[in-house]
Amino acid sequence: MNEETTADAASRRSFRLHNATVPARPVEPALYLVATPIGNLGDITLRALETLAGADVLACEDTRVTRVLLDRYGIQNRPFAYHEHNADEAGPRLLQALEAGRSVALVSDAGTPLVSDPGYRLAQQAIAAGYRVIPIPGASAPLAALVGSGLPNDAFLFAGFLPAKDKARRDRLGELAAAPATLIFFESPHRIGATLLAAADVLGGARPASVCRELTKTYEEFRRGTLADLAAHYQQVENVKGEIVLVIGPPEPVETDEADVEAMLADLSKSMPTAGAATEAARLTGLPRKVLYQRLLEIKNADGR
């Protein structure tokens, strides 16, 4: 983040659209969270281009990735690396720039900053210090997957990445089983098969889902079906490639009598531990796992077990 003259700054504050060079106005001092394309570079917004070209400081996860976008639109601003491995050093420098009255634009490698990336920490620090934090909206993989999945979008829950280990993954799915919303996860291609198997077991194989792969890119794919069908498909596919968003529909509402629920819990607890019985009951009834877990503890205490 070297100092530059006013003339130097003015000369680089422009971007290119087709064959036209467009001047970019200087950006007011603030931290700007700028969404960038998740694949197709044409998905950038005009406001994002002007912010990237006009900001005093441009911070990004990987300068090589961001440079591709900047070169596409003729932006001369030099990107400054800010990522999880250098946040302790780079973060204070960016805050110092804000303190000096400069504008800072933050981008991730793709999509909207702060969504499953280290920018959240910087934004928190900037807010705590009293600086303006301004979102520049645009591309978002979770939203693109949701609207393309064909699943209900009136209520949804983005849960990031599931744990890599099977037990932790299943526990997390059990916690979310009864959430009255469409679930959205990021997943790696080499784990999608195992994740779908776990989801089918924990949430029920009949639950609708969509595997959304390579969004906005040349080989974009939406594979829709039940969790059981998708799990069976990906057990047969070798070398799955590309970035994946998994979207799972909400549970069907189930009306259950309290006495029936207690009988189910008591029966399940005969063959599995308390936590497992509560998870299975949540899957079967659609009721919150924590409520069922607490009720089962009360039943066991009443029975003196």
Side-chain angles (χ1 to χ4, degrees):
M1 293 188 293
N2 296 325
E3 297 294 331
E4 62 182 350
T5 67
T6 303
D8 290 336
S11 67
R12 68 164 173 80
R13 284 189 171 126
S14 65
F15 58 92
R16 187 176 62 247
L17 284 178
H18 303 295
N19 295 323
T21 298
V22 182
R25 295 166 294 183
V27 182
E28 293 182 4
L31 173 62
Y32 295 84
L33 308 175
V34 185
T36 54
I38 59 176
N40 189 320
L41 295 183
D43 290 338
I44 193 76
T45 69
L46 291 175
R47 188 182 178 202
L49 289 174
E50 187 165 47
T51 303
L52 295 180
D56 296 316
V57 180
L58 172 56
C60 65
E61 284 187 84
D62 188 326
T63 57
R64 296 165 298 181
V65 173
T66 299
R67 189 75 259 169
V68 173
L69 175 66
L70 300 180
D71 288 346
R72 164 73 178 268
Y73 290 100
I75 296 174
Q76 298 179 41
N77 212 344
R78 177 179 295 179
F80 168 81
Y82 171 82
H83 47 71
E84 60 181 338
H85 302 296
N86 77 344
D88 289 340
E89 175 187 354
R93 295 178 65 187
L94 294 171
L95 292 172
Q96 288 170 8
L98 291 170
E99 184 179 5
R102 308 180 77 192
S103 55
V104 176
L106 176 69
V107 301
S108 63
D109 284 348
T112 301
L114 278 60
V115 179
S116 289
D117 78 38
Y120 174 71
R121 180 178 172 186
L122 179 63
Q124 272 193 321
Q125 293 169 335
I127 291 170
Y131 302 120
R132 294 179 66 198
V133 174
I134 301 174
I136 307 296
S140 169
L143 291 179
L146 176 66
V147 298
S149 69
L151 295 170
N153 56 29
D154 55 332
F156 58 90
L157 190 160
F158 172 66
F161 284 94
L162 285 165
K165 294 186 177 180
D166 187 63
K167 182 181 184 306
R169 180 191 297 131
R170 289 171 181 266
D171 287 346
R172 179 59 174 151
L173 286 167
E175 293 171 355
L176 298 172
T182 293
L183 305 177
I184 306 174
F185 304 96
F186 286 156
E187 192 51 277
S188 65
H190 68 274
R191 286 206 304 260
I192 186 62
T195 292
L196 286 166
L197 279 176
D201 287 344
V202 176
L203 305 179
R207 199 144 156 180
S210 178
V211 175
C212 313
R213 191 176 63 84
E214 291 292 86
L215 292 170
T216 79
K217 301 176 184 176
T218 302
Y219 298 104
E220 178 181 85
E221 177 187 46
F222 288 87
R223 184 169 290 276
R224 306 173 182 90
T226 65
L227 282 172
D229 290 341
L230 292 170
H233 172 79
Y234 280 98
Q235 301 315 301
Q236 305 300 319
V237 178
E238 296 182 1
N239 300 320
V240 180
K241 297 181 180 179
E243 297 178 338
I244 291 173
V245 182
L246 173 61
V247 186
I248 302 175
E252 292 290 335
V254 178
E255 292 187 8
T256 53
D257 181 84
E258 184 175 349
D260 291 339
V261 172
E262 292 187 359
M264 177 188 297
L265 287 169
D267 186 58
L268 289 171
S269 67
K270 294 176 182 178
S271 58
M272 58 181 68
T274 303
T279 298
E280 179 64 10
R283 183 184 70 81
L284 294 171
T285 65
L287 296 173
R289 178 185 178 279
K290 289 184 177 179
V291 173
L292 294 169
Y293 181 82
Q294 185 61 38
R295 186 64 188 124
L296 183 50
L297 289 179
E298 292 172 356
I299 292 172
K300 288 188 173 184
N301 288 336
D303 293 341
R305 286 186 281 170

